[in-house]
Amino acid sequence: MTRLLLLILPALLGSVSFAQLLSWSPPFPAATNDGQELIITLDATKGNQGLRDYLPASDVYVHIGVTTNLSTPATQWKYVKFNQNFNQANPALIATYLGNNKWQFTITGNLKTYFGVPASETIQKIGILFRNVAGTKVQRNTDGSDMYVPVYTSTFAARIDKPAHEPLFQPKAEQQNWVIGTSFPIEGVTNQSASLKLYHNGILLTPVSTTATTITANATVSALGNQQIVLEASNGSVNKFDTLQVFVGPSSSPVAPLPPGLKDGINYEKGDTAVTLVLATPAAGKNIVSVVGEFNNWMPDLAYTMNKTADGKKFWLRVKGLLPGTEYAFQYVVDNSLRIADPYAEKILDPYNNNDGNISPATYPGLKPYPSGQSGIVGILQTAAPAYAWSVNNFTRPDKRGLVIYELLLRDFLAAHDWKTLKDTLGYLKSLGINAVELLPFNEFEGNLSWGYNPDFYFAPDKYYGPKNSLKQFIDSCHKYGMAVIMDIALNHSFGLSPMVQLYFDGANNRPAPANPWYNPVETHPFNVGYDFNHESLDTRYFTSRVVEHWLQEYKVDGFRFDLSKGFTQKNTVNDVPAWGVYDASRVAIWKRYYDT
């Protein structure tokens, strides 16, 4: 049975209409139908709205491929059309503009022939993006993931088509605006004539179709909380079910004061069975935040609606009933649409480009797999996490006036690229007269094959180098050799998977919104990459100080090399490099504050 999740925002009472981010005809495209004309239609007012109001409308092309039974991971695109000419205006991939923010692309004939898929492979899904030729505007799902069209065989299949779904690899419902009293249509479809029934909260809806491929009905939201829509289809020999779990939540989080002593992020309690989660929303304007994760089967629930402080700047929730030592993946759902990980998470799981899947068990034994059916970065909480017993608790740092520093990028320094192997090379470094090791950024960054200057999560060691206790053992071993550890870190900017970037983001201009409390909408200096931190903001100061405190206390690092230190200023020099490089009293004051931390 397929289980799909629908997140629902309160809005005006009444009936609602539906449009899909991606729709296609015929509804059950086949891989080997020679006479098939598959028409895929995009609605750019949905999803990430990457092409909404885009001009010229004729400059929209598809990037298209397939996943097959041999895709590893299952989301891997293969047989991509004209992949070697990715950034060229290929007329064979141009999309037709229909007006009203809609584009269409048509594939005629046998899909296996069109994509060049060998007879021995089976097409599972079509992967598709709509983009301008330069690739600067790309239409995706709301969470930034690729869009997929399922491909079917002659086997009996059934699905719910309304309410609408986002075409993720594992489809999920689009955000809808419903409240108690909203009437909504339901539609079920099959690829064979069948006896069809629709249920809402266990009640059989009418009409009931006995021999058809489509069934429709209307239902009404009658209560807050979880509801259930079920399509039952029988072709006489096989029964098929598709289930849609529907959650109708309140319009806003309940207001309650933040309990004393709590910090932003994950607050662990004595007893190891509960945590209190605190999400900072300093610019306010957020109405409701809930928590979904493995402790509630990723299902929105009234019991997991976070409390909101009276000023709207903090959301918090106590999560109980946790098993000590168990890792739980979770996300925040902001205003029933945006899913983000906790910015303070000390471990995250990454579904993009199989980044986690490309980490070998030798590097990270027993790495928790990404939760099936979810999307976006997820954070990890773990009570009673395995502790590390430090051997050196009173390390005396070398005099900074006499440092002999070896700078290295672990990814390239060793083929094994892990902390354990690096620890085993310390004797060699010591023989060179080294008394300090400077490591290029090793907090979580986008992808695996990076120098680390594209960060998103600042409290989590990147898993590509191994578990956190292996990192602690490496630092401990350095101290045994009398060597300090200097952490290179990029706190001048973040990249797009940062939850703090995403919380307040201007999608139309692809930059932080003016209200973002941590980032400048437009960078203030030359050589900027990513999204520029505003270090005059009290919220950025708090966050940066927490980052520094974390690595000094939890990992016992001895110092920092801050990337792009001249960028720590709000004095706007635009692209004037000489002006950027002169003495800047405001920048000195910012650094003095962090030095005091």
Side-chain angles (χ1 to χ4, degrees), residues 241-546:
F241 295 88
D242 194 12
T243 299
L244 188 70
Q245 296 291 341
V246 180
F247 178 74
V248 180
S251 60
S252 62
S253 286
V255 175
L258 185 70
L262 296 179
K263 294 182 176 182
D264 295 353
I266 306 169
N267 296 267
Y268 292 95
E269 296 184 13
K270 293 181 179 179
D272 298 325
T273 61
V275 300
T276 299
L277 304 173
V278 179
L279 177 67
T281 54
K286 306 300 181 185
N287 294 316
I288 183 169
V289 180
S290 57
V291 181
V292 294
E294 292 175 323
F295 37 73
N296 62 6
N297 294 318
W298 299 99
M299 299 297 295
D301 190 304
L302 293 176
Y304 287 88
T305 301
M306 301 185 81
N307 301 288
K308 179 171 63 174
T309 57
D311 60 6
K313 294 185 177 182
K314 305 273 188 183
F315 288 83
W316 64 274
L317 179 71
R318 186 168 183 257
V319 179
K320 302 177 289 183
L322 303 174
L323 295 175
T326 299
E327 290 187 319
Y328 293 91
F330 76 101
Q331 290 174 319
Y332 299 115
V333 183
V334 182
D335 287 338
N336 292 331
S337 57
L338 174 65
R339 287 187 174 223
I340 57 172
D342 192 303
Y344 293 83
E346 296 182 31
K347 181 176 179 179
I348 58 103
L349 300 180
D350 178 359
Y352 297 106
N353 301 314
N354 199 33
N355 288 328
D356 287 0
N358 288 324
I359 300 173
S360 73
T363 300
Y364 199 118
L367 177 60
K368 180 181 177 68
Y370 184 85
S372 175
Q374 304 313 309
S375 60
I377 301 290
V378 302
I380 296 293
L381 63 83
Q382 182 184 24
T383 65
Y388 177 75
W390 292 90
S391 298
V392 180
N393 291 290
N394 56 349
F395 177 62
T396 301
R397 299 175 180 133
D399 189 325
K400 63 185 178 183
R401 294 166 295 185
L403 291 178
V404 181
I405 302 172
Y406 197 108
E407 179 186 25
L408 63 89
L409 170 62
L410 179 51
R411 185 200 76 187
D412 291 344
F413 184 69
L414 298 167
H417 64 74
D418 62 39
W419 298 116
K420 180 182 180 299
T421 308
L422 185 60
K423 175 179 68 70
D424 294 339
T425 69
L426 289 178
Y428 162 72
L429 295 178
K430 183 68 174 179
S431 71
L432 299 178
I434 302 303
N435 62 8
V437 178
E438 179 188 334
L439 300 161
L440 268 66
F442 54 83
N443 57 292
E444 279 282 2
F445 47 81
E446 295 192 2
N448 289 334
L449 303 181
S450 166
W451 283 15
Y453 295 111
N454 52 341
D456 289 316
F457 291 87
Y458 294 87
F459 292 78
D462 198 286
K463 301 182 301 298
Y464 190 67
Y465 299 146
K468 68 175 186 180
N469 280 350
S470 294
L471 168 58
K472 291 181 178 181
Q473 187 178 35
F474 166 75
I475 295 171
D476 205 10
S477 297
C478 285
H479 291 168
K480 290 179 184 178
Y481 276 98
M483 290 188 282
V485 176
I486 299 170
M487 180 182 187
D488 195 340
I489 192 166
L491 271 162
N492 178 74
H493 56 264
S494 300
F495 274 59
L497 293 179
S498 162
M500 300 190 306
V501 169
Q502 294 179 2
L503 262 175
Y504 302 91
F505 194 73
D506 177 0
N509 293 299
N510 193 34
R511 65 191 187 191
N516 194 303
W518 299 285
Y519 300 92
N520 293 309
V522 178
E523 63 272 14
T524 61
H525 58 87
F527 300 121
N528 180 74
V529 293
Y531 302 111
D532 183 35
F533 267 117
N534 172 6
H535 281 279
E536 291 289 6
S537 163
L538 293 177
D539 299 300
T540 302
R541 292 186 202 174
Y542 171 83
F543 180 77
T544 302
S545 295
R546 284 281 305 273

Side-chain angles (χ1 to χ4, degrees), residues 37-103:
E37 185 178 62
L38 175 58
I39 302 172
I40 303 172
T41 303
L42 170 78
D43 185 343
T45 66
K46 301 284 188 174
N48 73 336
Q49 302 186 28
L51 288 173
R52 184 166 187 163
D53 300 324
Y54 178 71
L55 293 173
S58 59
D59 179 36
V60 173
Y61 298 78
V62 298
H63 180 48
I64 193 167
V66 294
T67 68
T68 76
N69 59 311
L70 299 183
S71 292
T72 305
T75 56
Q76 179 196 26
W77 288 29
K78 303 183 69 179
Y79 309 106
V80 176
K81 293 291 287 186
F82 309 112
N83 197 35
Q84 68 275 17
N85 306 118
F86 184 71
N87 284 320
Q88 296 183 20
N90 193 321
L93 297 178
I94 194 167
T96 302
Y97 186 55
L98 304 179
N100 199 28
N101 277 298
K102 291 183 173 63
W103 280 267

Side-chain angles (χ1 to χ4, degrees), residues 2-49:
T2 302
R3 299 188 181 274
L4 300 174
L5 172 65
L6 179 61
L7 299 177
I8 301 177
L9 268 167
L12 299 176
L13 292 173
S15 62
V16 295
S17 60
F18 291 87
Q20 296 262 63
L21 166 60
L22 208 64
S23 56
W24 52 87
S25 178
F28 294 90
T32 56
N33 187 340
D34 290 332
Q36 177 177 260
E37 185 178 62
L38 175 58
I39 302 172
I40 303 172
T41 303
L42 170 78
D43 185 343
T45 66
K46 301 284 188 174
N48 73 336
Q49 302 186 28

